[in-house]
Amino acid sequence: MEESLRLSQKQRLQQTLSPLQVQFVRLLEMNGHEIEEEVDRELAENPALEIASESAPEENENVGDFDESAEQLQLADYRSEEDIPYYKFEARNSSADDSYYEPTAVAGEGSLMEQLMSQLAQLPLTDKEMQLARIITGNIDDNGYLTRTVPQIVDDAAIHDGIDADVEEVRKVLGIVRSLEPAGVGAVDLRDCLLIQLKARKETDDVRLAKEIIEHNFDLFSRMDFERLGRAVKATPEQLRKSVDVIRSLNPKPGSAFQPQSADEDKMRQITPDFLVDSDGVNLSLTLLNRVPALQIETTFADADVEVTPRTPGRKAEAMEFIRRRRDDAASFIKLMSMRRETLYRVMTAIMKIQRDFFLTDDELALKPMILRDVAELTGYDISVVSRAASGKYVATRRGVYPLKFFFNERPMEDSDASSREIIAALREIIEDENKSAPLSDEALTAALRSRGYDIARRTVAKYREKEQIPVARLRRQVL
């Protein structure tokens, strides 16, 4: 076998991001809270970076001499001290006719297990029963459902806690736990949860029929087959409707009210807009709500001479290299923050241009079809840059705060200016006006939309219905 060596050339085009570009992309996709934390971290780590000092206000004869408090201003309204009411000199200096609210500290509800254990502590239970109750409540999930069977709890008590208990003892304590508030806690499944809540209610004809439905005809109820259900329980449509209303008033997740909120969830709920769009009915104005302070290079670093020559001593050369590196990092960070502000401003300006009618009216139906490519064409940015600039950002208008993703909606039909939101609004209107005892199928909904001029496919209708969390026809059926 002959072997030979060959030399060949191959041309390849490859695009790579520089470290500065990577850092810019990372800063761009940060939301308001994250960029604040990033700036604070950079200020703490880089001594060459500092907050720019604000220019002092111009001094005049009216500024700097005004130091009266609000209380002093109120007292100045009276001609003399004798005219001042006595209650103005007290700590609670309001008139007796004014409303006064005493601030009180309200404790949290606590976890579901804490609530159950506090109720159990008020019951006459033995030490063994209390230990078994603690094991049972520890195996109840956040929704209030029991995650272990009775035999498994018996084994857990023996293995982990050294408690010798039989099945009957555990069932007895489980029955006590299931009698606690909230009603339905300790259930093994949804059917059991609903039954516990129904048994805790006052016995009426509607409740009695509801218990029969859940206990013996739960499959028919879950399928919303009310015709067969009515025949099975031998009830009139009116009786069936009342009992179904009772069932729908129950809580399928009785423990959900006691789920603790994490710090991250609380932080996510605090939405601070990044932009403010105002309108006078004709023109629009955009303000970038910048919560990040202006940055500058620290004076000693900016004025330092970092030129290194062959005669520069080693230790001094290292110090100069440190100053140069930190100064360059600070300059790069300031540049990136400026690029981020400019990018966000240009992206929001493009969105305002496309969705001008919405910002003038705050009417969702005025939204035009808009995708990332449309904004990219106006700004000259790449689609990925536009996507990162819009991610996690919010804009405030006169009528509310909207995420930037709210303004992006697809064009369901190539030759139509109708937006997906317009079609979804029409879909919701059709479903709201449908016969509740015979809801429209997806095919019927498609035909109804086509009659309104929206020629879209059935799968698109199904996608929009699922997006709006609207159940299928059989689950929308109601007893009239």
Side-chain angles (χ1 to χ4, degrees), residues 108-115 140-143 255-266 269:
E109 293 183 343
S111 65
L112 175 62
M113 184 175 181
E114 291 174 350
Q115 291 293 321
I140 294 177
D141 63 17
D142 293 336
N143 292 325
S256 59
F258 299 94
Q259 292 183 11
Q261 293 182 352
S262 64
D264 292 338
E265 290 176 345
D266 290 339
R269 294 179 186 275

Side-chain angles (χ1 to χ4, degrees), residues 261-291:
Q261 293 182 352
S262 64
D264 292 338
E265 290 176 345
D266 290 339
K267 183 177 179 179
M268 290 299 292
R269 294 179 186 275
Q270 299 174 359
I271 297 176
T272 304
D274 302 88
F275 309 93
L276 173 63
V277 176
D278 200 2
S279 167
D280 59 2
V282 179
N283 300 314
L284 297 176
S285 63
L286 172 62
T287 303
L288 184 60
L289 303 178
N290 187 12
R291 299 183 298 275

